[in-house]
Amino acid sequence: MNTQSIIKDSSLAESGHLKISWAYRHMPVLRRLEEEFSSKKPLAGERIAICLHLEAKTACLAKLLQDLGAFVAITGSNPLSTQDDVCAALVELGVTVFAKYNPSYEEYTNFLNKTLETSPTLIVDDGGDLVSILHKDKQEFLTNIKGGCEETTTGILRLKALEKESLLKFPMLAVNDAFSKYLFDNRYGTGQSVFDGINNTINLVIAGKTIVVSGYGWCGKGVAMRAKGLGAKVIVTEVNPIKAVEAYMDGFLVMPMLEASKYGDIFITVTGNKNILTKEHFQNMKDGAILANAGHFNVEIDLKALEAMAVEKSVIRKNIVDYKFANGKRLYVLAEGRLVNLAAGDGHPAEIMDMSFSLQTLCLLYLKENFKKLATKVLNVPSEIDEKVSSYFLEAVGVKIDSLSLEQLDYLHSWKL
Amino acid sequence: MNTQSIIKDSSLAESGHLKISWAYRHMPVLRRLEEEFSSKKPLAGERIAICLHLEAKTACLAKLLQDLGAFVAITGSNPLSTQDDVCAALVELGVTVFAKYNPSYEEYTNFLNKTLETSPTLIVDDGGDLVSILHKDKQEFLTNIKGGCEETTTGILRLKALEKESLLKFPMLAVNDAFSKYLFDNRYGTGQSVFDGINNTINLVIAGKTIVVSGYGWCGKGVAMRAKGLGAKVIVTEVNPIKAVEAYMDGFLVMPMLEASKYGDIFITVTGNKNILTKEHFQNMKDGAILANAGHFNVEIDLKALEAMAVEKSVIRKNIVDYKFANGKRLYVLAEGRLVNLAAGDGHPAEIMDMSFSLQTLCLLYLKENFKKLATKVLNVPSEIDEKVSSYFLEAVGVKIDSLSLEQLDYLHSWKL
Amino acid sequence: MNTQSIIKDSSLAESGHLKISWAYRHMPVLRRLEEEFSSKKPLAGERIAICLHLEAKTACLAKLLQDLGAFVAITGSNPLSTQDDVCAALVELGVTVFAKYNPSYEEYTNFLNKTLETSPTLIVDDGGDLVSILHKDKQEFLTNIKGGCEETTTGILRLKALEKESLLKFPMLAVNDAFSKYLFDNRYGTGQSVFDGINNTINLVIAGKTIVVSGYGWCGKGVAMRAKGLGAKVIVTEVNPIKAVEAYMDGFLVMPMLEASKYGDIFITVTGNKNILTKEHFQNMKDGAILANAGHFNVEIDLKALEAMAVEKSVIRKNIVDYKFANGKRLYVLAEGRLVNLAAGDGHPAEIMDMSFSLQTLCLLYLKENFKKLATKVLNVPSEIDEKVSSYFLEAVGVKIDSLSLEQLDYLHSWKL
Amino acid sequence: MNTQSIIKDSSLAESGHLKISWAYRHMPVLRRLEEEFSSKKPLAGERIAICLHLEAKTACLAKLLQDLGAFVAITGSNPLSTQDDVCAALVELGVTVFAKYNPSYEEYTNFLNKTLETSPTLIVDDGGDLVSILHKDKQEFLTNIKGGCEETTTGILRLKALEKESLLKFPMLAVNDAFSKYLFDNRYGTGQSVFDGINNTINLVIAGKTIVVSGYGWCGKGVAMRAKGLGAKVIVTEVNPIKAVEAYMDGFLVMPMLEASKYGDIFITVTGNKNILTKEHFQNMKDGAILANAGHFNVEIDLKALEAMAVEKSVIRKNIVDYKFANGKRLYVLAEGRLVNLAAGDGHPAEIMDMSFSLQTLCLLYLKENFKKLATKVLNVPSEIDEKVSSYFLEAVGVKIDSLSLEQLDYLHSWKL
C-alpha cells in the first residue's frame, strides 16, 4: 500500500489553507454534518478514494471525511483543475494526495492508479475514471469495495453502460441525479462558474454577444440562463426534440450547429458527448470566435481537427490559445478545451458544492451502513438524504417554509372529492 | 343512452365557430395528426367521453377525435371555464355536449353523469371527475372502458390514490406527466394565461408589485417566472424543501404563508391542495390585496372563512368580488377562486394546448391498440409519443435540430475511454 | 357655447361607474391631490378641454379637475379607445363629454371641434389634435387659453414643429417628458398594456415567438422588455445608432425591417412615425404573421398598401382582420392598426396613469398660477412637480428612501478632495 | 520638464504587451480611428496628460493618441487599478508613464504631479484629480491647456462645482455624459465588471443571495441588472424619489440603508458620494456580509468606523479583509473599498472601453480644432461625435439599421396631420 503523497510543492500550503478556510466558512451544511458526526467517527475503519476537481471546496470534503474517521486518498479529476496550494495544505492536514496542476498524461494516470492502490473501501468518483480503471486494470482492488458515489452526468452515463454489460461489481449511488445536486450544482453552479471562468479570462463584454450553448441538459440550461442574464443572445443546439422545444420556449434560438456556427461569438459545449465542434463548424465560424468547453472531458471540441486546419497556434494570454487560419481568421480556444469553469477559474461556488458534497458525505455513511443490502447497480440517492440536504441548506440561509396540515395530507391522498 | 346535447343557446354558434377556427389555425400538430389519420378513421367504433375546459382549443380536440371516427361526448371540467358559444358550435359540428357557463351544482353534476351515460369506451379526464364518478357512482359503465387519459397534476394525484387502494379498473395514461405536456402546458401555458386572465380583469400594473405564488411545481414555476418577467417581486411559499431551494436560487423570496400574507399585493395559489389561504392569512393581508387561484379546484382559497370574516361582499367589476372587513380593509377575490386563467380568460394559448391535445390524441390511439396488454394502473405516456409531439411542434415552427452521429452514440454507450 | 354632451348611450352609466370606482381605488396620488386641493377649489373659473383616451382612468382625472373647481369638457383621442359606459358615467358626474366608440371620421372631428367650442382656458392634449386644430381652424378660441399640457411623445414632436415655425400661441408643458411620466407610463405602462391587449385578443403563446419591435424609444423599450419577460425572442428595428446599440446590448437582435420582416411572428410598431410596415415588408412576412401598432396614430402600418395586396379581407375574431393573399398567405392586423393597448384592451394600468394624471393636475395648477410668466414655448415640467409625484407614489406604496446628510451634500458640491 | 517614466518593473513588459494586444483586437472602433487618422498625425504638437485606470484598454488609448502624433504622459486614477506589466509595455511603446500598483499616498500624489509637469496641452481625466490639482496646486501649467475630457460621473460633479465657483479655466468635455458612454460604459461595463471582480474574488454563488445596491444611477442600474441576471434578490437604496420609483418598478426592493443593512449578503456602493455604509449599518449587518464599492473613490464605505468597531482585522484571501467584531461577527471588505471591478479585476470589457475611448479620441481632436471657440465650461460632447461612435460600433459588430425616408422626416417635422 502506497500512501506517500505526490504533490507539486509543499511550501504552497499557506495559500491553500486560506482558500480552504474561506470555502469552509461558506459550506454550512458540511459544517453541520461535522457537528453531528465528527465525535462519533462513523467512518472509522473506512478507506476512501476520491477523484474530484482538487480545489478548496473538495479539500473541505476530504477533510470532513477524515474527521469522520476515514483514511482519505485523493486525486484530481482533470489535469487543469488541480490547485497545487490546496494539495499542499491537504497533505499538511493528513490527507494523502496524488495530484498536481497540468501533469503529463503518464503522471495523471499514475495518480489515478496510486489512489486506487491505497486499497479503498469506498469510492467518490467524478466522471467515472476511478470506477472504470478499477473494472479494467485494477480488479485486484474490487473485493474491498463496499460501494461508491458518482458526481457527474458523464460518470453516470459510463456507469450505466457498465451496468448494462452486467460488469458493475459494487453499488454506485448516482449523487449527480439527486435533486439537491443536479438542480443546483449542474444549473446554478455551472451557469455561474462558466462565466466566472470565461469573463476572467477574456475580459470582453457578454452583453450583445451571440453565445452558442450546445446541450440543453441541466448544465446547459444553467449556462444559457446566465448568458441571458448577462445580456447575451443565446443559440441552443440540441439532439433531443423535447429539450429543443424547452430551449425554444425559454426564448432561445434553436438550430443545428452547422447553422449556429456561422453566428456565434462564443461557443460553449456542455453535452457530455464528443466532437460537438468539428472541422465543418470551424470553417463556418467568424473571425475571432471563442471556443470553450464545460463538459467533463476535453473531447467536445475537436482540437486535432482545429490544429490541422490552423497555420499557426500560439498562447496569447493565460488560458487562451489563438489558432490562425491561412486566410487570417483566428479562433480562440480557452483552457485547452477543458472544463473552463475549473481550468480557468475556481469552479463552482462554495455554497453549491456544499450541497453536493453533503450529499456525498451522507451517501458514504449510507453505503457503509447498507452496502450488504444494496444491489450492485447504479442506485438513486435515498430521498431522505436528498431532502435532508435541502432542508439543512434552507436552515443555513435562514429560510423557513410551510408544512402540510393533516387535513391537507388527507386531501392529497383522497380520490373522492 | 342519452345523446341529446344540453347547452345554453344554440344561436351563439357563429361566434364559437370563429373562435374554433382561429384556434385550429394555431394548432399545427393537431392538424398534422388530422392529415395523417383522418382518412383511416382509426377511432371508428370508439365512444369517447371528455371532461375538459370547454373552450375553443378543446373543441378542436373533440372535433379531431370525431374526424378520426369516434363518437364524442363532452362536458366542462370547471363551471366557469365553459364558453357557451363554443358549445353551440360543437353541437353544430356533431359533437354531443353537456355543458354551460356557470351552471348550478346540480346541473354541473348532471352534465358529468350524462357524459358517462353515453357509455364511453375511452375517457379523457381533467382533474379526475369522470374517473372518480365512474368508480363511485357509475360502475355500470366501467366494463366498456378500455382506458383513459388524465390531463392534470390534480387528476394524477387522485388516480394514484385510487390505484393505491387497488380500485382502479382500467389503464390510465398520465398525459400530464409527459414531458411534452408538463414542461410546456403547466409552465408556459399556466404562466402566461394566469396573467392574461388577471391583467384583463384588474387592469393594474404588475411591475413593482409583490406577488405571492403558493406552490413551486411546474405550474407555480411558470407563474413565478412570468410574474418576474412582468416586473414583480415574487414571494414563493412551499412545503417541499427541494422546491423551496429551487425557488430561492431562482431569485425569489421564500417564506411561510403566515409571513408572506403580510406583504403580498396579489396572491396566486397553484398547489393542487386545499386551504392554502385561510383565516389567519386574511387577517394579515394588506388592504386591497387581490386573491386568485390557478389550481384545478376552487378549494385553495378558503372562501367560507373569508365570507364569515367580511361584513360586506359585493361584485365590483366582472370577476372581482370585494370582501369588506369591519375595519374597512378590503380583499378582492378573482373569479370566485376558480382557475383564474380559464374563468377570467380564454385559458392556455392555442399552441400550448396543441401539444397537450396531440398527446391526448396519440394516447387514445395507443390505448385503442394496446389496452389489452396494459396493466390497470396509472401509466406513463410512451416516450415515442412524447418525442413525436415535440418533433412535430419543432417542424411546425420551422426549427431544425442536430442528430447524434454513430460515433457519438457509441461514445455515450461506452464506459471505457 | 355648446355644452350639451354627445355620447352613445346614457343607460350604460352603471358599468362605467364600476370601472371608474375600481380605477380610482388604485390611483392613490390623485386621491391625495383631491384631499389636498378639493376644498380650496383652486381651478374655480377655469374651463378645461381634454382630449385623452376616454376610459376609466381618464375619467378619474376629469372628475378630479371638476372637483377642483373647473368646468371640464372631454373628448377621446382615438376612435377605438373610447368606452361608451365610461362616457355615460362621466356625464352623470357632470362632465361634458363629446365621444363615442368607433365614430365616423366626421363625428370624430366634430367631437374635437365641440370640445374646443366650450371655450377652454386650459388644454390637456394627447397626440396634439386639440392644439393643432386650435392653431389651424379654431383660432378664435386661442385668446382665452392660458396654456396646456401634452401627454405623448407624438404630441411633443408636433408641438416642437409648431414652435419651430414660431406659431405656438401659448405655453405648453411637456408632461410626456417629465421623468415621472415617460420613465413609467411609456415604459412599464405601454410594455404591459400592449401585451394585455394583444394576448387577450389572440390567445396565442408569446414564449418562443419572434417579436419585432419597431422603435426603441421609451415605449419600445417597455414593449421589448415585456416581450422578453414573456419568453419571446425580440428583434428591434431602429433609425438611431445610439438606440440601436442600446437594443443590441440589451440582448436583442437588431436589423433593418426589410430583414426583420422575414422572421417576425408578431410585429409591434411604436415609432411615432408613418409607414413603418409597408408593401415590401408585407411581401417578406411569414404566413400567419400578426401586425399591431402601439404608436399614437394609425399610420405606422400602411393598411392601404396591405389592402391593395390582399385578395380577401375579413374580420375573423374581435379586433382581428385577416388579409389573405393570392398565394394563400394570411396576415392578421389587430385593432385596425390603432393603439392596440387601448383599442383592444383597457389601456395602461391604473397606478401608471395615476402618476401621469397627477402630473397633469399639478401642471394645470402651475399653469393657472404662472401662465403670465411663461414663454409661449414647449416647456419642461418643473422638477418640483416631477419629484413630488414620485414621492407621493412612494408613500402610497409604502416605500421609504434615504436622504442626503449635510456632509454628503457638501461632498457633492466640492471639487477639492 | 520631467519625462522620465517611473514604473515598477520594466521586465514585466511582455505580459503587458500580450494584454494590450488582446484588448486592441477587441477595440474595433479605436482601430478604425487609427486607420482614419494615424497617417495624418492630427495631434502632432499636442502634449496629452492622461489620468485613467492604467490597464490594457487604457494603454490602447494612450498608444493611439501617440500614433496620432501626440506626446502622451499617463498616470493611474486609482492606486489598485494600475497593472505593472501594462505600464512596462507602455514605456517600451514610448509613452511616458508615472504609475505603479499600490503606491504609497506620497507616491500616488507625486505621480499626478509628474504627469502635470509634462506641461500638457490637453487633459484626459478620470474622477477629476488632474483638473483639481491643476486649479489648486499647479496653476502654472494652466496656460498651455486648450481643454480636456472627463470620463466619470464623479469627475463631472467636481467640474460642475468648479464651474459654479467660476474657477474653471478651460473647456472640459463631459465625455461621461455622452450617450455612447454612459448608456454602455456605466451600465453594461460596470454591471458586468463588478461581478467579474467580485465573483473572481469570493467564489460564492450569487443566485439566491440578497444584494444591496446603493445608488440607482446608470452604474447602479447596471449592477442591479446583472445581480438579477445572476439570480440574486436585489435591494436598492436611493436618495432620489424618481430613481427610487424606477428601481421599484424594475422589480427591486427599495428601502433605506438602515433597513437594508439587516438583509444584505453583499453590499455594493455605487453612489459617487461618501459615507454610504457607516457604523449604524455595520451594526445591523449579518455575520459574513460582504462589502464592496464600485464608486470612483474609496469613501463610500466608512472604513475608519469599521476599523474602530472591529477587534481584529486580517487579510484572509487576496482582496478580502476580514473585520471581526467582539461578538464574533465578521464583515468582509473587498479590495480595500476601492473600485472592486478594477482593483480586484481587469475592469470594464474591452468593447465597452472601445466606445468610451473612441469618444475621448474624437473629443481631443475636436478640442484641438475648436478650443478657441469654446466657453470655459463643462460642455456636452457634440452629438455628431456621439452618433459616430455608436455607428462605428454597429458596423464593427455587423449590425445594419434603418434610416428615415424623406417622407418620414417630413412627417416628424409637421404639426398638421
Side-chain angles (χ1 to χ4, degrees), chain C residues 10-36:
Chain C
S10 60
S11 73
L12 303 169
E14 194 185 329
S15 156
H17 286 302
L18 286 178
K19 287 181 177 176
I20 293 171
S21 157
W22 173 257
Y24 205 52
R25 289 188 192 188
H26 296 92
M27 301 180 90
V29 185
L30 273 195
R31 289 205 315 273
R32 178 152 172 188
L33 296 183
E34 182 189 355
E35 238 173 73
E36 260 183 64

Side-chain angles (χ1 to χ4, degrees), chain B residues 136-382:
Chain B
K136 212 171 50 178
D137 305 323
K138 295 271 174 191
Q139 304 188 353
E140 65 270 31
F141 293 103
L142 279 171
T143 46
N144 292 317
I145 294 181
K146 295 172 178 165
C149 299
E150 170 55 49
E151 176 75 5
T152 67
T153 309
T154 290
I156 303 286
L157 274 170
R158 295 176 78 190
L159 286 173
K160 296 225 162 150
L162 197 61
E163 183 189 66
K164 209 173 167 191
E165 299 181 25
S166 303
L167 295 175
L168 184 64
K169 295 300 183 201
F170 46 80
M172 282 296 294
L173 286 175
V175 168
N176 178 73
D177 295 354
F179 289 116
S180 293
K181 201 279 180 178
Y182 77 83
L183 286 179
F184 309 120
D185 182 319
N186 301 24
R187 191 163 35 154
Y188 310 106
T190 307
Q192 179 178 323
S193 65
V194 158
F195 285 101
D196 290 350
I198 289 178
N199 292 1
N200 188 30
T201 302
I202 63 175
N203 191 220
L204 299 179
V205 73
I206 300 302
K209 285 223 166 26
T210 297
I211 298 197
V212 178
V213 179
S214 192
Y216 205 63
W218 289 100
C219 291
K221 281 181 175 67
V223 173
M225 174 171 69
R226 288 297 168 251
K228 185 182 181 183
L230 285 161
K233 300 176 245 300
V234 178
I235 297 175
V236 170
T237 74
E238 249 299 337
V239 295
N240 177 297
I242 294 167
K243 288 180 185 170
V245 178
E246 211 177 352
Y248 173 88
M249 290 272 186
D250 282 339
F252 302 126
L253 287 158
V254 180
M255 60 183 76
M257 184 57 88
L258 204 56
E259 188 71 11
S261 52
K262 298 175 201 163
Y263 306 119
D265 294 307
I266 302 179
F267 293 81
I268 303 170
T269 54
V270 56
T271 67
N273 209 325
K274 68 189 295 193
N275 292 344
I276 304 307
L277 293 176
T278 62
K279 191 177 172 181
E280 57 185 356
H281 308 123
F282 302 141
Q283 268 161 349
N284 276 349
M285 287 179 186
K286 296 194 290 189
D287 180 30
I290 292 170
L291 285 58
N293 168 50
H296 185 74
F297 287 112
N298 61 335
V299 298
E300 310 213 3
I301 304 171
D302 186 351
L303 288 179
K304 268 189 200 153
L306 183 53
E307 202 147 342
M309 295 168 84
V311 295
E312 203 183 306
K313 174 184 167 187
S314 51
V315 177
I316 55 159
R317 201 171 144 147
K318 199 186 169 199
N319 283 317
I320 309 181
V321 176
D322 172 353
Y323 290 84
K324 191 172 170 183
F325 285 58
N327 65 0
K329 181 169 93 172
R330 295 159 187 283
L331 299 181
Y332 302 115
V333 174
L334 304 190
E336 303 178 16
R338 295 188 185 273
L339 274 165
V340 71
N341 49 345
L342 282 147
D346 282 336
H348 287 11
E351 305 93 331
I352 294 289
M353 296 318 298
D354 189 30
M355 295 184 76
S356 299
F357 288 161
S358 296
L359 283 168
Q360 290 282 9
T361 304
L362 291 168
C363 283
L364 290 168
L365 292 170
Y366 177 83
L367 280 170
K368 171 165 187 177
E369 284 305 308
N370 299 283
F371 73 101
K372 290 186 183 156
K373 297 179 246 167
L374 299 176
T376 54
K377 300 180 87 169
V378 183
L379 301 168
N380 288 332
V381 171

Side-chain angles (χ1 to χ4, degrees), chain A residues 25 57 203 209 332 351, chain D residues 25 57 209 332 351:
Chain A
R25 289 188 191 188
K57 284 90 63 184
N203 191 221
K209 287 223 166 26
Y332 302 115
E351 304 94 330
Chain D
R25 289 188 192 189
K57 283 91 64 184
K209 285 221 165 30
Y332 301 115
E351 304 93 330

Side-chain angles (χ1 to χ4, degrees), chain A residues 40-201:
Chain A
K40 306 178 202 149
K41 304 290 170 203
L43 291 174
E46 299 303 323
R47 307 181 61 79
I48 305 179
I50 301 177
C51 174
L52 286 169
H53 297 288
L54 223 169
E55 40 72 58
K57 284 90 63 184
T58 301
C60 294
L61 171 65
K63 185 175 169 305
L64 174 62
L65 295 177
Q66 182 178 271
D67 288 348
L68 266 51
F71 164 86
V72 178
I74 189 165
T75 186
S77 59
N78 185 298
L80 296 190
S81 65
T82 296
Q83 301 193 2
D84 289 323
D85 52 357
V86 170
C87 294
L90 264 184
V91 169
E92 282 197 3
L93 291 168
V95 172
T96 300
V97 182
F98 305 106
K100 58 185 182 187
Y101 175 75
N102 207 7
S104 68
Y105 179 75
E106 289 67 31
E107 285 177 306
Y108 185 74
T109 310
N110 184 42
F111 292 155
L112 286 164
N113 288 334
K114 289 267 185 213
T115 305
L116 289 172
E117 287 162 11
T118 62
S119 203
T121 60
L122 293 165
I123 296 283
V124 176
D125 211 356
D126 178 300
D129 278 353
L130 284 185
V131 172
S132 172
I133 295 173
L134 261 173
H135 286 78
K136 214 170 50 180
D137 306 324
K138 294 273 176 192
Q139 305 187 352
E140 66 270 33
F141 292 103
L142 279 171
T143 47
N144 292 319
I145 293 181
K146 297 172 177 165
C149 299
E150 169 57 46
E151 175 75 7
T152 68
T153 310
T154 290
I156 302 287
L157 274 171
R158 295 175 78 188
L159 285 173
K160 295 226 162 150
L162 197 61
E163 183 189 64
K164 208 174 166 189
E165 297 181 27
S166 304
L167 296 175
L168 184 64
K169 296 299 184 203
F170 47 79
M172 282 295 294
L173 287 176
V175 168
N176 178 73
D177 294 355
F179 289 115
S180 293
K181 202 276 180 179
Y182 77 83
L183 286 180
F184 310 120
D185 181 320
N186 300 25
R187 192 163 34 156
Y188 310 105
T190 307
Q192 178 178 325
S193 65
V194 158
F195 285 100
D196 290 349
I198 289 177
N199 292 2
N200 188 30
T201 303

Side-chain angles (χ1 to χ4, degrees), chain C residues 277-295:
Chain C
L277 293 176
T278 61
K279 191 178 173 182
E280 57 186 355
H281 307 124
F282 302 140
Q283 269 161 350
N284 276 350
M285 287 178 186
K286 296 193 290 188
D287 180 30
I290 291 171
L291 285 57
N293 169 48

